[in-house]
Amino acid sequence: MRLGRAHGTATRQARYSQLQRDREAAPKLRTMFPVVEQLRFELSFEGGGAATPVPQSHVLHPPARAFFSFPCPYADCDGRFELTAAVHAAVEDPSHRIEGVLECAGSRVSDFRSKPLCQLRLCFTLTAVCSPPY
Ligand SMILES: [Zn+2]
């Protein structure tokens, strides 16, 4: 087994293209949630030490893919944060707003010997803007 920088790069590219394929296979947001006009994700991170990733925000509109899987922001981590359940909860909840915390289950693949668990925590606020009931 060869170890080295190229291995990590290839793995990351493979993960990225898998993510792209999954996204392309997802239905449109308007198909999955006809009432949703906008989904807003506010993401912040904890537990990364000095190199904690910066907060992110994402907004999805009806023509976007209904794909709610966010790769861990660490370049050497193979984890993903799956927010599909949270999206369903936010759409169904009367407040259309869900907050929660997820822990990254990936491992930091740059350290081939020990592959330490990432355990980066994602604190998210998810807001669904829905069209008013008729
Ligand atoms: Zn991670």
Side-chain angles (χ1 to χ4, degrees), residues 53-70:
V54 296
Q56 304 176 6
S57 63
H58 300 276
V59 175
L60 295 184
H61 294 102
R65 298 285 174 183
F67 183 71
F68 314 118
S69 178
F70 296 91

Side-chain angles (χ1 to χ4, degrees), residues 75-130:
D76 61 350
C77 178
D78 60 1
R80 285 195 202 181
F81 295 103
E82 301 290 350
L83 291 174
T84 306
V87 170
H88 281 272
V91 172
E92 284 159 21
D93 192 273
S95 72
H96 296 312
R97 184 183 156 96
I98 293 287
E99 292 180 26
V101 178
L102 290 175
E103 189 173 276
C104 181
S107 47
R108 308 291 296 273
V109 293
S110 65
D111 189 340
F112 288 104
R113 287 177 203 285
S114 58
K115 285 200 171 189
L117 287 178
C118 175
Q119 297 181 311
L120 181 69
R121 282 191 304 280
L122 166 71
C123 306
F124 64 89
T125 303
L126 177 52
T127 312
V129 178
C130 297

Side-chain angles (χ1 to χ4, degrees), residues 6-57:
H7 179 85
T9 306
T11 307
R12 178 150 182 85
Q13 279 170 354
R15 281 202 305 276
Y16 184 76
S17 51
Q18 180 63 49
L19 201 71
Q20 291 293 98
R21 280 196 297 274
D22 290 353
R23 190 193 312 273
E24 289 306 310
K28 297 281 179 71
L29 184 60
R30 71 158 76 89
T31 306
M32 189 178 272
F33 299 114
V35 299
V36 171
E37 296 179 344
Q38 189 187 91
L39 277 180
R40 195 161 55 237
F41 299 83
E42 308 283 344
L43 311 178
S44 61
F45 301 94
E46 283 180 0
T52 300
V54 296
Q56 304 176 6
S57 63

